[in-house]
Amino acid sequence: MGRLWIFALQLSELFVCSLVHLLYGFYIFSTAVAGDLSQALNGYFFKSKVNTEVKEEFKGSINADGLPPIVLVHGIFGFGKGRLGGLSYFAGAEKKDERVLVPDLGSLTSIYDRARELFYYLKGGQVDYGEEHSLACGHSQFGRIYEQGHYPEWDEDHPIHFVGHSAGAQVVRVLQQMLANKAFKGYEKTSENWVLSLTALSGAFNGTTRTYLDGMHVIIIWYRPEDWRTLKAICLLQLLRLGVIVYDWFDIPWLKAYYNFGFDHFNMSWKKMGIWSLVDGIMGNTGPFASGDWILPDLTIQGSMRLNSHLHTFPNTYYFSYATKQTKKILGFTVPSTLLRIHPLLFIRVLQMSQWRYPRDATPPYKGYRDEDWWDNDGALNTISMTHPRLPIEHPSQCVEKDSDCLHLQPGIWYYKIVEGDHILFIINRERAGLQFDLLYDSIFERCRKHVFRKTPPTIPNHAN
């Protein structure tokens, strides 16, 4: 009887979480559609005014050609410029600087695949995922074609500032390691120095216990060392998996142009693989969920440790991290810090993650693991995971209290600051963060332009004096 009661509670929690996520997805989609319709109507009735504004914006981008670009890299379920109409993943923060790029990468593809996509987005050409990796994961070696790179001159003399939200920060780290390893065919002169700085906003460096709550397996059995890459039979991620497979199988052009999960290189469309491919996908025989080549396995603690074991912190690159937290301690218990400011999408997970305990019959993910170290969180990631890379080896780091302490940064050290807020406070909806939104992004862009450089500081347009 007790087990039935627990099972009923788990199904109720799954239903509520699924409903909340589905409603939020529809809210984002409808907001984007409404924005596009409004823009189309304004363009129809005020055509001359729109043309003038477009010309002025284009002129501004030309004046900024001397600046190294700041590249904003989105996280899981994210999107870049050109997706979801005029909606901005970074809530318009890209308008705060003269030279900002917002690439559109796969929203659910693996960290590895996204890093490869980011390179070709900047340099141009056809995305090459690598022959060995593609064969192992069961997808095409080549993907999207960029006729013109967004920063083709990118090299050691023209390095780039990166700002990554959530998993986007880990994407940049993997990309930097690929550059150091000269992992791109036809580009033998790449190096880690192509990355001038990396700023992480709620960066997913060491995994998150939320992956286990959403449905990734926890228990690692000695004869199934890859068990952490698989899903539980009934969970939120199983519903996501089914939805993505059906979405990609129908392959509706206008819909995928509006939003794409990024699995085109897996050829899941009925146009390419036929009707029975849908059955194979749902049964788990083919596709990214069968091979484990998607983003959730990379966000488990074990998956992050596997990635981190090959990643370095480089001596000529500047690193800064904002770690978000929406919890506090009361009488020795970790609880959500507020009821009103946590987004409804994240409130249940903030509570669950603050009480998370690793199963006693499971092997801990690393030596010295303690549940209480992982209780502080922002509803998606644990705060301990966001400060700096620390598993399996801790990288050099320094905690700062305020941004003014970062005017004289040293490269090769992770400076981090704890910020009160949930995981999506600084994206999508600018009004939620209010003044805090402007203060945070202003400090990021000012740091990139005025305090982080290897040679003579660049002259910023309209700031020559």
Side-chain angles (χ1 to χ4, degrees):
M1 186 67 181
R3 290 185 177 181
L4 287 176
W5 177 247
I6 293 175
F7 183 67
L9 286 177
Q10 290 174 337
L11 285 181
S12 299
E13 184 266 345
L14 176 60
F15 173 77
V16 172
C17 286
S18 303
L19 182 62
V20 170
H21 282 77
L22 190 62
L23 289 175
Y24 184 68
F26 277 123
Y27 163 73
I28 294 296
F29 190 83
S30 61
T31 300
V33 172
D36 282 357
L37 289 175
S38 176
Q39 187 175 2
L41 291 174
N42 285 335
Y44 179 78
F45 291 108
F46 306 101
K47 188 173 182 180
S48 60
K49 182 178 179 180
V50 171
N51 287 339
T52 303
E53 292 176 353
V54 169
K55 289 178 181 179
E56 290 178 354
E57 182 180 0
F58 186 72
K59 183 179 178 181
S61 65
I62 291 177
N63 289 337
D65 279 350
L67 289 174
I70 299 174
V71 181
L72 305 183
V73 185
H74 64 74
I76 186 172
F77 291 111
F79 51 92
K81 187 176 182 180
R83 298 287 185 188
L84 286 179
L87 193 64
S88 168
Y89 179 86
F90 288 92
E94 61 270 23
K95 298 177 182 178
K96 285 180 168 291
D97 189 85
E98 300 282 348
R99 189 79 183 276
V100 177
L101 298 173
V102 189
D104 179 67
L105 309 176
S107 65
L108 285 180
T109 49
S110 65
I111 300 290
Y112 175 95
D113 286 358
R114 295 179 67 191
R116 306 289 294 192
E117 293 164 5
L118 180 55
F119 176 85
Y120 289 99
Y121 166 88
L122 293 165
K123 291 294 289 184
Q126 186 172 20
V127 176
D128 183 353
Y129 294 104
E131 182 179 2
E132 183 179 349
H133 170 82
S134 302
L135 287 173
C137 296
H139 61 67
S140 300
Q141 179 180 346
F142 300 100
R144 182 175 177 179
I145 299 175
Y146 292 97
E147 298 291 348
Q148 175 66 38
H150 290 75
Y151 193 56
E153 60 267 43
W154 185 31
D155 58 22
E156 190 166 331
D157 293 324
H158 303 86
I160 289 178
H161 299 286
F162 287 94
V163 178
H165 176 255
S166 190
Q170 193 76 325
V171 169
V172 177
R173 293 191 66 223
V174 171
L175 172 60
Q176 186 175 26
Q177 190 65 55
M178 289 178 177
L179 294 171
N181 296 343
K182 307 187 187 313
F184 297 95
K185 189 175 181 179
Y187 296 91
E188 286 75 25
K189 295 184 179 181
T190 63
S191 80
E192 64 274 13
N193 293 328
W194 286 28
V195 178
L196 179 53
S197 73
L198 166 57
T199 300
L201 184 55
S202 305
F205 297 127
N206 305 286
T208 170
T209 56
R210 172 163 178 169
T211 56
Y212 311 122
L213 291 167
D214 286 344
M216 300 300 296
H217 270 299
V218 176
I219 300 176
I220 303 178
I221 308 174
W222 66 270
Y223 57 83
R224 292 178 61 187
E226 297 294 302
D227 201 47
W228 53 269
R229 301 180 70 173
T230 61
L231 300 178
K232 299 173 185 176
I234 302 176
C235 63
L236 184 65
L237 293 181
Q238 284 285 9
L239 298 178
L240 170 66
R241 181 183 74 89
L242 295 175
V244 171
I245 290 172
V246 172
Y247 187 91
D248 269 40
W249 185 81
F250 275 109
D251 193 19
I252 303 173
W254 69 267
L255 195 58
K256 291 190 72 173
Y258 213 62
Y259 186 81
N260 195 334
F261 292 106
F263 293 127
D264 290 344
H265 53 305
F266 278 91
N267 299 314
M268 297 163 64
S269 168
W270 66 271
K271 301 172 186 176
K272 296 180 180 180
M273 303 303 290
I275 296 177
W276 288 107
S277 64
L278 178 62
V279 178
D280 277 340
I282 291 176
M283 294 299 293
N285 298 326
T286 60
F289 307 102
S291 65
D293 189 33
W294 64 302
I295 198 167
L296 261 298
D298 291 337
L299 297 181
T300 62
I301 298 175
Q302 294 89 343
S304 294
M305 289 177 63
R306 188 186 65 162
L307 277 175
N308 286 339
S309 65
H310 304 289
L311 304 181
H312 296 84
T313 292
F314 293 98
N316 293 325
T317 300
Y318 295 86
Y319 300 94
F320 196 91
S321 176
Y322 292 93
T324 42
K325 184 179 79 166
Q326 199 70 83
T327 54
K328 63 181 179 181
K329 283 184 170 54
I330 299 179
L331 301 176
F333 295 94
T334 303
V335 297
S337 57
T338 177
L339 295 177
L340 300 178
R341 293 202 63 193
I342 302 177
H343 196 282
L345 182 71
L346 301 172
F347 182 82
I348 293 178
R349 288 297 188 250
V350 171
L351 179 61
Q352 289 176 318
M353 291 173 69
S354 69
Q355 308 300 315
W356 166 260
R357 292 186 182 276
Y358 213 83
R360 293 183 179 180
D361 57 345
T363 304
Y366 60 90
K367 186 178 180 180
Y369 170 86
R370 300 190 311 163
D371 288 319
E372 53 268 32
D373 293 338
W374 293 80
W375 285 343
D376 283 326
N377 70 90
D378 66 359
L381 297 177
N382 311 86
T383 305
I384 189 177
S385 178
M386 294 182 269
T387 57
H388 62 285
R390 58 173 78 224
L391 296 173
I393 299 174
E394 186 155 4
H395 293 224
S397 65
Q398 180 178 329
C399 180
V400 299
E401 296 290 332
K402 48 190 177 181
D403 289 333
S404 59
D405 297 334
C406 304
L407 300 182
H408 304 286
L409 298 178
Q410 297 297 318
I413 299 175
W414 285 89
Y415 295 88
Y416 67 89
K417 179 181 179 182
I418 308 296
V419 179
E420 184 74 18
D422 63 42
H423 195 67
I424 58 176
L425 182 63
F426 298 106
I427 60 171
I428 306 296
N429 187 348
R430 184 174 187 154
E431 280 67 36
R432 282 194 67 225
L435 179 61
Q436 196 176 2
F437 178 94
D438 293 308
L439 292 174
L440 182 131
Y441 281 105
D442 285 346
S443 67
I444 291 175
F445 292 136
E446 181 179 4
R447 187 182 308 117
C448 290
R449 293 306 185 208
K450 295 184 179 180
H451 305 292
V452 173
F453 47 85
R454 295 194 188 116
K455 298 179 180 180
T456 304
T459 301
I460 303 176
N462 303 323
H463 289 78
N465 297 321

